[in-house]
């Protein structure tokens, strides 16, 4: 295990089993349809790669980099699109794939933005969900694991751009936040 990890919250095996489970549900729900899978970079990249291998409908990939401005106290921050989709999604079924739903601000605004482009449908899939932190009114259509209010890294998720490569989801040692 990485020296800076206090404990593993979700093992590699547990994630692999869950990814297959989510993929089976997506395969059922979209049977006979073609979809565009949108990976939200960078955090979702490992989840995305493993999930799409288990999907069996015709599909294409697209990628976005987004962040939401959280200025001051009250939300109402705007969505900043740092990298936009390359495809026109109008009339298409869009599945947004994210690493974690935390406050929900980013995904709520992203869903609103993409809805303006008139897709046939738009659904959200997130590996992790921290429901206790939610401030925006949004839920995922597909969720891997609900986790407590702890900062986690690995399987794509970072702290200060590090730890994304770890094959499990782990909780950092407290000193790693202060020393870095
Ligand atoms: P929110 O749902 O708009 O609050 O933000 C979600 C984003 O915050 C995610 O895409 C992550 O990049 C980041 N994030 C939230 N919680 C964690 C965590 O526990 N570990 C790593 N990144 C996190
Ligand atoms: Mg992220």
């Amino acid at each position: 295990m990485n020296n800076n990890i206090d404990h593993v919250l979700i093992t590699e095996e547990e994630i692999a089993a869950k990814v297959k489970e989510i993929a089976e549900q997506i395969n059922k729900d979209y049977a006979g349809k073609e979809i565009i899978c949108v990976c939200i970079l960078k955090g979702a990249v490992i989840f995305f790669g493993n999930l799409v291998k288990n999907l069996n409908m015709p599909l294409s990939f697209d990628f976005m980099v987004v962040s939401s401005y959280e200025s001051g106290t009250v939300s109402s921050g705007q969505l900043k699109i740092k990298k936009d989709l390359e495809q026109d999604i109008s009339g298409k079924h869009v599945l947004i794939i994210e690493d974690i739903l935390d406050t929900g601000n980013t995904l709520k605004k992203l869903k609103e933005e993409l809805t303006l482009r008139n897709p046939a449908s738009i659904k959200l899939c997130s590996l992790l969900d921290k429901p206790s932190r939610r401030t925006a009114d949004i839920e995922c259509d597909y969720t891997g694991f609900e986790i407590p209010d702890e900062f986690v890294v690995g399987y794509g998720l970072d702290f200060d751009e590090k730890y994304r490569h770890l094959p499990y989801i782990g909780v950092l040692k407290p000193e790693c936040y202060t020393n870095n």
Side-chain angles (χ1 to χ4, degrees):
M1 195 168 73
N2 185 289
N3 284 338
N4 293 338
I5 297 296
D6 185 72
H7 61 277
V8 173
L9 193 65
I10 311 171
T11 66
E12 193 174 356
E13 293 75 22
E14 287 169 327
I15 300 171
K18 185 64 80 175
V19 166
K20 290 216 162 122
E21 207 181 289
I22 297 172
E24 274 173 31
Q25 191 59 49
I26 294 172
N27 283 333
K28 276 188 200 150
D29 294 351
Y30 289 95
K33 290 178 180 154
E34 182 168 339
I35 65 176
I36 300 177
C37 292
V38 175
C39 175
I40 307 301
L41 295 172
K42 303 170 192 165
V45 72
I46 296 181
F47 177 46
F48 177 88
N50 287 314
L51 185 70
V52 294
K53 286 189 285 185
N54 293 283
L55 298 180
N56 57 24
M57 70 289 286
L59 63 81
S60 58
F61 293 179
D62 215 329
F63 299 88
M64 288 187 91
V65 180
V66 296
S67 64
S68 58
Y69 292 114
E70 288 310 321
S71 49
T73 49
V74 193
S75 58
S76 75
Q78 278 182 336
L79 184 74
K80 183 177 180 190
I81 298 181
K82 295 177 183 166
K83 186 215 170 300
D84 207 338
L85 297 174
E86 290 181 357
Q87 301 182 56
D88 176 4
I89 60 169
S90 109
K92 305 282 177 62
H93 296 287
V94 175
L95 181 62
I96 300 175
I97 298 168
E98 179 56 306
D99 53 357
I100 185 165
L101 187 61
D102 189 32
T103 65
N105 292 325
T106 314
L107 272 187
K108 185 177 165 63
K109 293 189 198 100
L110 178 63
K111 194 177 177 184
E112 285 168 359
E113 164 69 28
L114 295 186
T115 300
L116 296 174
R117 305 182 191 183
N118 297 312
S121 72
I122 183 160
K123 283 192 181 182
L124 306 177
C125 174
S126 180
L127 177 66
L128 303 176
D129 184 5
K130 275 188 204 170
S132 60
R133 294 254 310 158
R134 192 87 75 258
T135 53
D137 179 20
I138 185 151
E139 291 304 324
C140 281
D141 300 279
Y142 306 98
T143 302
F145 303 92
E146 284 193 1
I147 63 167
D149 183 11
E150 282 184 299
F151 194 83
V152 293
V153 296
Y155 206 80
L157 292 109
D158 72 308
F159 172 68
D160 202 16
E161 294 299 331
K162 292 193 279 281
Y163 312 109
R164 293 191 194 275
H165 64 296
L166 300 179
Y168 49 81
I169 302 284
V171 176
L172 272 184
K173 289 178 181 165
E175 60 261 36
C176 297
Y177 300 107
T178 42
N179 294 347
N180 272 349

